[in-house]
């Protein structure tokens, strides 16, 4: 029986401190990476639809950049500022907000397309944040979100 929280063609891996989702995208790595690194695209990528819009920051993210997003979770709007913590051109970008946990995207060549992975990484969370997130069921709780996020990226290039 298929897991309805995981779109077809998406593979999910859960570890102690992280959850990752991977799929193949019909576009070259540079194009996929460019799409993911643009905060204006994050509302369309967001698997749980919590990202609502760009508030401040550069149009295209690079090493060390900071950016702010309008968010909404459980019906409550809020704003969050994140910073790019890992960056490798056309291959890797990861950002974190004050809690320290990271959202990491990797893009690798795969035939004529790309293999794209999003990872929610709790290992980098600040000490007071990590136990609270674990009590709330993370990282596993993000399983459907990362699965839908990579599917959203894939579907953007399939349209």
């Amino acid at each position: 029986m298929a897991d309805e929280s995981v779109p077809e063609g998406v593979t999910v891996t859960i570890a102690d401190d992280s959850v990752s989702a991977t799929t193949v995208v019909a576009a070259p790595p540079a194009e996929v990476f460019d799409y993911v690194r643009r905060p204006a695209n994050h509302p369309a990528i967001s698997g749980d639809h919590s990202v609502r819009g760009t508030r401040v920051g550069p149009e295209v993210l690079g090493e060390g950049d900071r950016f702010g997003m309008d968010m909404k979770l459980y019906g409550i709007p809020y704003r969050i500022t994140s910073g790019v913590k890992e960056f490798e051109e056309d291959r890797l970008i990861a950002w974190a907000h004050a809690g320290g946990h990271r959202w990491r995207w990797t893009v690798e060549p795969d035939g004529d397309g790309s293999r794209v992975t999003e990872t929610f990484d709790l290992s980098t969370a600040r000490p007071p944040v990590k136990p609270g997130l674990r009590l709330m069921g993370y990282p596993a709780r993000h399983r459907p979100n990362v699965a839908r996020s990579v599917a959203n990226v894939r579907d953007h290039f399939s349209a």
Side-chain angles (χ1 to χ4, degrees):
M1 184 168 161
D3 181 346
E4 293 180 21
S5 69
V6 177
E8 188 174 332
V10 174
T11 303
V12 177
T13 305
I14 299 176
D16 189 44
D17 278 335
S18 65
V19 59
S20 298
T22 302
T23 196
V24 175
V25 177
E31 286 182 35
V32 176
F33 188 79
D34 185 64
Y35 181 71
V36 170
R37 73 189 286 197
R38 292 177 179 271
N41 296 332
H42 293 184
I45 294 170
S46 176
D48 64 358
H49 306 291
S50 61
V51 182
R52 299 304 181 149
T54 306
R55 191 170 44 84
V56 296
E59 183 178 318
V60 179
L61 297 174
E63 190 169 350
D65 283 340
R66 294 183 55 76
F67 63 105
M69 303 298 289
D70 289 322
M71 308 287 291
K72 190 172 190 178
L73 198 56
Y74 306 114
I76 301 168
Y78 64 99
R79 293 176 169 182
I80 199 88
T81 300
S82 297
V84 175
K85 303 297 183 183
E86 301 171 44
F87 186 83
E88 185 179 327
E89 187 72 38
D90 294 338
R91 168 96 171 88
L92 166 73
I93 188 166
W95 54 81
H97 55 61
H101 42 292
R102 294 185 184 180
W103 287 263
R104 181 179 299 109
W105 287 84
T106 57
V107 182
E108 303 170 294
D110 187 272
D112 291 335
S114 304
R115 179 171 303 277
V116 62
T117 301
E118 182 189 20
T119 301
F120 172 78
D121 185 355
L122 192 55
S123 71
T124 58
R126 300 200 192 305
V129 174
K130 192 172 186 177
L133 288 173
R134 284 203 184 282
L135 282 173
M136 293 173 22
Y138 294 98
R141 187 172 178 174
H142 261 313
R143 182 178 191 268
N145 301 341
V146 295
R148 284 191 302 265
S149 292
V150 297
N152 290 342
V153 170
R154 176 195 63 206
D155 295 349
H156 169 79
F157 289 97
S158 298

